[in-house]
């Protein structure tokens, strides 16, 4: 299961010709919307343990660097020791910065669409039209949004998306994010979050515009898919997960300490989680910056997740390999339609394979032993705590074959490599290699195959009546 990378330019060109990707396969046309289900904020106002987290990644082709913007809210009622708002950025050279506050009143999010933000510190009153006194927030939900907290915001600040200039005039420390625009400004301030200080730079700021090109599903389809299937609308899995944007293009700037990065049409990716806490153990590969193959994207994951069946300790190993091809086709290899297996080391080596009647996919990745940064993730007992390790310098190879009659058909449909893949392991313990097969439990494995369209059903329901998040 060794990793073979074909980094030579001539080999890459041959690979592109063999796979039909050197101009003969057109990039997917941009649809009016590739919005996925679960783009909204899922908090329903109940006092149970709850988090929601959002992750956007941008790869900078000119420098070979990447960065990720990670936003999270935990226990939005502010009723537990774990409650708080987290802002993490994983930056160039696998750097890291975190700002955390236990004050949840500065956070806001839209209930049925992708828009959120938080103010850690408002700008001075002269430049801040929103002030810094109470009354800028509300604890009641509405058809469009939810303001966390118990009625008033000690931090002040806006409660909706603003133009970039207006945001920076109103917010000294904080963020705002939607599917098409993101701004933020922060300092390293990790008090209240679990674990020792981990930040490698004292401050960071950013502003970018995003053009989503692929959500989770074929770009020619009428709607996009729920990553975990239609059962994701029910409180069954712990946690829930949704890829919001398998591929997009971002333009803007990142100020990383004393270094400024500017970029145009850089490959971008986005996903989110919500529930009571992260899986007890997981691994993850994501790449949409393959050599010479723009628009090709893979997400591959294996996880040990909990089932909310009223019993403690009920878990299952699940995983998937999802491939978005440049022409708009989507290949989804999931536990209810494929056999999936993995062999992943505690750090440095990932191997995932999935097979069904139509396709076979193999994803292999490695990284240097010294690569990576420790990130925080929402945990059930400790709140936002060091719980995973990531790198942006993964060497990844993706191969995808068509199958018929129980065998692979000819040369790979895709044979792609990259040296800028995002790799992650989390949870644990990770004492040795994790070798497992995805085994989704019944009756959920059978139920999830029912042909229910989460996005389509959501469009039939008036927004006021939709469940939070849809």
């Amino acid at each position: 299961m060794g990793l073979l990378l074909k980094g030579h330019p001539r080999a890459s060109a041959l690979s592109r010709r063999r796979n039909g990707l050197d101009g003969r396969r057109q990039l997917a046309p941009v649809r009016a919307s590739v919005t996925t289900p679960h783009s909204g904020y899922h908090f329903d106002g109940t006092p149970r343990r709850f988090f929601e987290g959002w992750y956007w990644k941008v790869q900078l082709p000119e420098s070979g660097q990447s960065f990720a913007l990670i936003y999270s809210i935990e226990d939005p009622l502010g009723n537990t020791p774990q409650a708080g708002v987290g802002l993490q950025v994983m930056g160039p050279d696998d750097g890291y910065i975190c700002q955390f506050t236990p004050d949840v009143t500065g956070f806001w999010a839209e209930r049925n669409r992708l828009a959120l933000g938080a103010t850690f510190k408002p700008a001075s009153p002269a430049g801040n039209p929103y002030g810094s006194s109470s009354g800028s927030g509300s604890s009641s939900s509405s058809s469009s949004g939810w303001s966390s907290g118990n009625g008033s915001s000690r931090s002040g600040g806006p409660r909706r998306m603003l133009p970039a200039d207006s945001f920076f005039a109103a917010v000294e420390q904080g963020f705002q994010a939607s599917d098409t625009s993101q701004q933020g400004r922060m300092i390293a301030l990790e008090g209240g979050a679990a674990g020792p200080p981990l930040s490698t730079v004292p401050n960071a700021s950013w502003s970018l515009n995003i053009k989503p090109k692929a959500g989770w599903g074929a770009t020619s389809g009428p709607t996009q898919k729920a990553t975990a299937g239609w059962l994701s609308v029910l409180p069954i899995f712990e946690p829930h997960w949704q890829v919001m944007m398998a591929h997009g293009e971002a333009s803007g700037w990142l100020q990383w300490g004393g270094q400024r990065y500017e970029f145009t049409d850089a490959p971008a990716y986005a996903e989110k989680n919500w529930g009571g806490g992260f899986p007890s153990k997981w691994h993850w590969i994501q790449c949409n910056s393959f050599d010479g193959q723009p628009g090709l994207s893979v997400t591959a994951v294996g996880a040990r997740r909990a089932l909310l069946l009223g019993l403690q300790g009920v878990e299952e190993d699940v995983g998937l390999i999802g491939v978005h091809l440049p022409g708009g086709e989507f290949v989804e290899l999931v536990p209810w339609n494929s056999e999936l297996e993995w062999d992943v080391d505690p750090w440095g080596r990932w191997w995932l394979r999935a097979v069904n009647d139509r396709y076979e996919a193999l994803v292999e990745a490695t990284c240097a032993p010294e690569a990576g940064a420790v990130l925080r993730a929402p945990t059930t007992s400790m709140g936002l705590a060091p719980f995973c390790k990531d790198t942006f310098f993964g060497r990844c190879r993706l191969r995808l074959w068509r199958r018929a009659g129980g065998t692979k058909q000819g040369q790979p449909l895709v044979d792609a490599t990259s040296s800028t893949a995002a790799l992650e392991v989390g949870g644990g313990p990770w004492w040795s290699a994790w070798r497992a097969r995805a085994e989704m439990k019944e009756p959920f494995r059978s139920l999830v195959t029912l042909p229910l369209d989460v996005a389509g059903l959501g469009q039939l329901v008036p927004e006021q009546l939709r469940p939070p998040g849809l």
Side-chain angles (χ1 to χ4, degrees):
M1 289 179 282
L3 178 61
L4 173 63
L5 293 178
K6 295 187 279 189
H8 193 280
R10 185 176 179 184
S12 297
L14 289 172
S15 176
R16 290 195 300 274
R17 286 197 294 272
R18 184 174 67 242
N19 297 326
L21 296 175
D22 59 340
R24 293 197 292 272
R25 178 181 289 169
Q26 298 297 315
L27 295 183
V30 179
R31 293 182 56 220
S33 174
V34 289
T35 301
T36 64
H38 298 295
S39 290
Y41 181 40
H42 291 81
F43 183 55
D44 60 6
T46 58
R48 80 175 186 96
R49 178 79 175 100
F50 178 85
F51 84 93
E52 194 149 351
W54 298 258
Y55 174 99
W56 274 269
K57 176 176 70 74
V58 178
Q59 198 276 324
L60 309 178
E62 292 185 359
S63 65
Q65 300 284 357
S66 301
F67 68 92
L69 308 172
I70 309 168
Y71 316 116
S72 60
I73 175 72
E74 297 190 67
D75 293 337
L77 295 178
N79 58 335
T80 70
Q82 293 85 11
V85 181
L87 171 55
Q88 302 177 80
V89 180
M90 184 175 169
D93 295 317
D94 286 349
Y96 176 79
I97 185 173
C98 174
Q99 185 165 0
F100 180 84
T101 177
D103 179 10
V104 297
T105 65
F107 177 84
W108 64 270
E110 295 285 337
R111 187 174 187 265
N112 297 114
R113 58 181 59 87
L114 181 53
L116 62 141
T119 300
F120 296 136
K121 182 180 180 181
S124 62
N128 179 12
Y130 298 91
S132 58
S133 61
S134 65
S136 61
S138 168
S139 62
S140 63
S141 63
S142 67
S143 63
S144 61
W146 186 291
S147 298
S148 300
N150 55 8
S152 64
S153 171
R154 293 187 293 276
S155 60
R159 295 280 175 171
R160 57 182 174 84
M161 291 295 298
L162 298 177
D165 290 347
S166 299
F167 170 83
F168 285 116
V171 178
E172 182 174 333
Q173 296 166 20
F175 65 88
Q176 64 173 11
S178 75
D179 55 341
T180 59
S181 179
Q182 309 225 4
Q183 286 78 37
R185 185 159 52 195
M186 66 185 298
I187 62 172
L189 191 64
E190 301 174 62
L198 299 171
S199 296
T200 61
V201 293
N203 52 64
S205 57
W206 58 92
S207 181
L208 55 147
N209 295 316
I210 302 169
K211 295 182 290 187
K213 296 298 185 71
W216 189 253
T219 57
S220 60
T223 58
Q224 296 293 286
K225 294 186 173 186
T227 305
W230 73 267
L231 287 175
S232 59
V233 303
L234 303 175
I236 295 173
F237 308 124
E238 192 72 287
H240 291 281
W241 177 50
Q242 177 69 46
V243 175
M244 299 183 293
M245 182 177 68
H247 181 64
E249 294 176 349
S251 300
W253 55 267
L254 167 72
Q255 186 71 35
W256 184 249
Q259 180 71 42
R260 185 177 180 89
Y261 297 85
E262 298 185 355
F263 47 92
T264 301
D265 294 340
Y269 169 87
E271 65 177 45
K272 68 184 299 188
N273 299 85
W274 66 98
F278 262 46
S280 60
K281 189 174 183 178
W282 76 93
H283 56 82
W284 173 85
I285 300 171
Q286 201 289 316
C287 186
N288 59 330
S289 54
F290 286 101
D291 300 334
Q293 302 192 25
L296 176 63
S297 176
V298 65
T299 303
V301 66
R304 182 164 293 163
R305 70 181 177 190
L307 296 175
L308 299 183
L309 302 175
L311 299 173
Q312 293 293 326
V314 179
E315 296 182 314
E316 62 180 6
D317 288 344
V318 292
L320 64 78
I321 298 176
V323 181
H324 288 78
L325 299 173
E329 184 181 356
F330 177 51
V331 178
E332 183 184 39
L333 303 169
V334 287
W336 54 90
N337 72 12
S338 306
E339 297 295 325
L340 185 84
E341 60 181 330
W342 58 79
D343 182 355
V344 178
D345 284 347
W347 184 248
R349 184 185 63 87
W350 291 251
W351 182 92
L352 294 89
R353 177 176 176 266
V355 179
N356 65 19
D357 292 340
R358 298 183 60 202
Y359 295 99
E360 178 173 337
L362 179 63
V363 186
E364 300 167 283
T366 63
C367 70
E370 67 275 11
V374 174
L375 303 183
R376 290 178 169 90
T379 63
T380 303
S381 59
M382 296 183 294
L384 194 65
F387 204 52
C388 54
K389 186 176 182 179
D390 289 56
T391 183
F392 292 136
F393 297 101
R395 298 178 295 273
C396 177
R397 184 181 184 186
L398 164 66
R399 282 177 284 178
L400 177 69
W401 295 266
R402 295 194 189 276
R403 288 177 64 91
T407 61
K408 291 184 290 191
Q409 300 297 295
Q411 294 296 315
L413 174 67
V414 171
D415 190 347
T417 61
S418 174
S419 58
T420 55
L423 309 177
E424 180 179 69
V425 297
W430 281 82
W431 305 123
S432 59
W434 183 16
R435 300 180 180 93
R437 292 178 177 271
E439 295 183 358
M440 192 173 184
K441 295 184 182 296
E442 294 289 0
F444 306 119
R445 191 178 191 277
S446 297
L447 288 172
V448 77
T449 61
L450 295 175
L452 298 179
D453 180 358
V454 174
L457 291 174
Q459 293 172 3
L460 297 176
V461 179
E463 188 170 293
Q464 300 90 331
L465 300 179
R466 294 181 200 167
L470 290 180

